[in-house]
Amino acid sequence: QGTFEPLPPYNIISFIGPGGTPFFTPSDPNIDGATITNSTIDSTTIGATTPSTAAFTTATMSNQPVGNLDLCNKTYVDAAIVGLSWKQPVHAATTANITLSGNQTIDTVAVTAGDRVLVKDQTAQADNGIYIVGTPWTRASDADTYDEMVSAMVFVESGGQAGAAFYCPIQPGGTLGVTAITW
């Protein structure tokens, strides 16, 4: 159990282990999606009956926060502030209209069942979106409603567009499969 001071400068951290016993820092700094390096802890025991202060000079978070007291990285906070909705990366992104069924080559990448693909060049723009390769292709669970596409951003992992991020500038109020979706 961890408790963080709720307002800046966030300098009070309490950790209490099972049965109320103090929690000691592990020798391995990798903790459930968090990697802590170059940290200083102001006491050997973190927690117990009085909070201890700590200064972390570097921390890498790989998981999205889900709870009110979860740690999160600056990129996540910046995106939330400006209203971006980051989606899981896609394996490839289209460069032309495609058939939304079966394995095929997208921008030099052979995509197979289960791969995520950004479809952004359909003649019928209402069909654009993030898909899972299959027969037929289905919209990805994090982008299978119109509202999930508003302000969506996604990175491309492979192909000629590898490393690019695409933004979906559509406005609220549309209907998936009817309203044009552009990237």
Side-chain angles (χ1 to χ4, degrees):
Q1 173 183 358
T3 305
F4 296 81
E5 182 180 49
L7 299 172
Y10 307 105
N11 61 356
I12 298 176
I13 302 173
S14 305
F15 288 96
I16 305 297
T21 58
F23 176 78
F24 294 90
T25 58
S27 58
D28 179 3
N30 300 310
I31 306 169
D32 190 27
T35 301
I36 302 170
T37 57
N38 299 326
S39 62
T40 58
I41 306 296
D42 293 339
S43 71
T44 305
T45 302
I46 300 174
T49 56
T50 58
S52 301
T53 59
F56 298 104
T57 57
T58 304
T60 303
M61 300 303 301
S62 59
N63 297 335
Q64 279 195 154
V66 292
N68 291 338
L69 299 176
D70 287 355
L71 296 175
C72 58
N73 62 36
K74 184 178 182 317
T75 302
Y76 178 87
V77 173
D78 289 347
I81 289 170
V82 298
L84 298 178
S85 175
W86 282 99
K87 304 301 178 187
Q88 291 298 313
V90 294
H91 189 52
T94 61
T95 58
N97 190 69
I98 64 166
T99 301
L100 296 171
S101 183
N103 298 345
Q104 53 192 288
T105 300
I106 305 292
D107 191 21
T108 73
V109 179
V111 296
T112 59
D115 286 342
R116 288 172 61 93
V117 175
L118 173 60
V119 175
K120 60 180 179 54
D121 300 289
Q122 293 301 92
T123 302
Q125 290 184 323
D127 292 336
N128 287 336
I130 300 171
Y131 285 84
I132 305 297
V133 174
T135 305
W137 287 21
T138 56
R139 291 187 185 266
S141 62
D142 61 344
D144 60 357
T145 69
Y146 185 87
D147 289 342
E148 290 174 323
M149 303 298 288
V150 174
S151 297
M153 285 209 57
V154 65
F155 278 110
V156 179
E157 295 176 330
S158 303
Q161 300 170 92
F166 287 90
Y167 173 68
C168 185
I170 62 174
Q171 298 299 308
T175 302
L176 192 65
V178 175
T179 308
I181 296 174
T182 57
W183 289 87

